[in-house]
């Protein structure tokens, strides 16, 4: 790996219901990008959230080879677009 960048991505949507974290991990594995991430998910009270369609938040901290940074960002944006969730922020730390 070359130079590593750390990024913080905040995603809003049906994180649990649409299994967004697992789908991102699978796409990342298939893509062969030199990147990985950890995540924390904040879910409103689950029964109420499902019934009233309240969105959840996921905070992802990724480590990405600087050469793959733009491809990684595009991969996350494409997934969010496909699953109808929003990227609140994408910051390099």
């Amino acid at each position: 790996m070359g130079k590593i960048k750390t990024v913080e991505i905040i995603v809003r949507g049906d994180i649990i219901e649409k299994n967004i974290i697992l789908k991102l991990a699978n796409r990342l594995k298939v893509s062969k990008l030199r990147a990985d991430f950890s995540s924390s998910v904040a879910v409103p009270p689950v029964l109420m959230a499902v019934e009233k369609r309240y969105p959840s938040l996921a905070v992802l901290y990724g480590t990405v080879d600087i050469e793959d940074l733009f491809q990684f960002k595009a991969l996350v944006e494409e997934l969010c677009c496909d699953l109808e969730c929003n990227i609140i922020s994408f910051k390099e730390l």
Side-chain angles (χ1 to χ4, degrees), residues 15-26:
I15 307 296
I16 303 297
E17 189 174 297
K18 293 183 179 179
N19 214 0
I20 291 170
I21 304 300
L22 181 60
K23 289 177 182 176
L24 177 58
N26 288 335

Side-chain angles (χ1 to χ4, degrees), residues 13 16 41-50 53-57:
I16 303 297
V41 179
V43 181
V46 176
L47 295 178
M48 188 184 312
V50 170
R53 308 288 298 163
Y54 291 151
S56 305
L57 285 175

Side-chain angles (χ1 to χ4, degrees), residues 39-77:
S39 65
S40 296
V41 179
V43 181
V46 176
L47 295 178
M48 188 184 312
V50 170
E51 181 180 319
K52 296 189 177 184
R53 308 288 298 163
Y54 291 151
S56 305
L57 285 175
V59 180
L60 310 173
Y61 290 99
T63 52
V64 185
D65 189 297
I66 197 163
E67 294 176 7
D68 294 332
L69 184 59
F70 294 110
Q71 292 175 333
F72 178 71
K73 184 175 181 182
L75 184 135
V76 173
E77 288 173 344

Side-chain angles (χ1 to χ4, degrees), residues 3-38:
K3 187 173 180 180
I4 302 295
K5 278 289 199 181
T6 301
V7 294
E8 176 189 71
I9 309 160
I10 301 175
V11 178
R12 183 174 185 253
D14 295 326
I15 307 296
I16 303 297
E17 189 174 297
K18 293 183 179 179
N19 214 0
I20 291 170
I21 304 300
L22 181 60
K23 289 177 182 176
L24 177 58
N26 288 335
R27 285 194 185 185
L28 189 59
K29 190 185 319 180
V30 170
S31 75
K32 304 288 187 197
L33 294 176
R34 293 165 292 183
D36 201 357
F37 68 94
S38 61

